[in-house]
Amino acid sequence: MEITVETYSISYFSSEFVTENYSVVLWKGSGVFCVDDINYAYSGYTILFLSPYQKLKLISENEENVNVLFFHGDFYV
């Protein structure tokens, strides 16, 4: 897999998001995100690093876009 960057509506993450790749997730707003069933509050700009198969859910107070950078673990080699 090559490195890819994709943009989603934040509502896309209202149900669990899981990928087999490493991910860097960037967004702006306020609300709560959940990683592996643990809730965290956020406000402002947020950057989140996820390992493969971690579960992410976003509950936002605003409708914003989320940018996600995906890359495979072999990218480090």
Side-chain angles (χ1 to χ4, degrees):
M1 169 190 198
E2 293 185 26
I3 295 173
T4 60
V5 177
E6 296 183 18
T7 301
Y8 301 92
S9 167
I10 203 160
S11 59
Y12 179 82
F13 297 90
S14 60
S15 59
E16 281 187 354
F17 170 80
V18 178
T19 179
E20 67 276 3
N21 299 299
Y22 286 91
S23 306
V24 181
V25 186
L26 302 122
W27 75 96
K28 176 185 152 189
S30 58
V32 175
F33 69 89
C34 178
V35 175
D36 295 335
D37 300 320
I38 300 173
N39 294 331
Y40 304 92
Y42 68 89
S43 180
Y45 290 95
T46 306
I47 184 169
L48 180 64
F49 298 86
L50 296 173
S51 295
Y53 301 104
Q54 281 193 295
K55 297 179 277 183
L56 171 64
K57 252 178 114 170
L58 289 170
I59 302 158
S60 178
E61 297 172 3
N62 355 352
E63 187 60 34
E64 296 282 343
N65 285 334
V66 177
N67 295 302
V68 184
L69 174 115
F70 296 100
F71 61 96
H72 191 274
D74 291 342
F75 177 75
Y76 291 123
V77 177

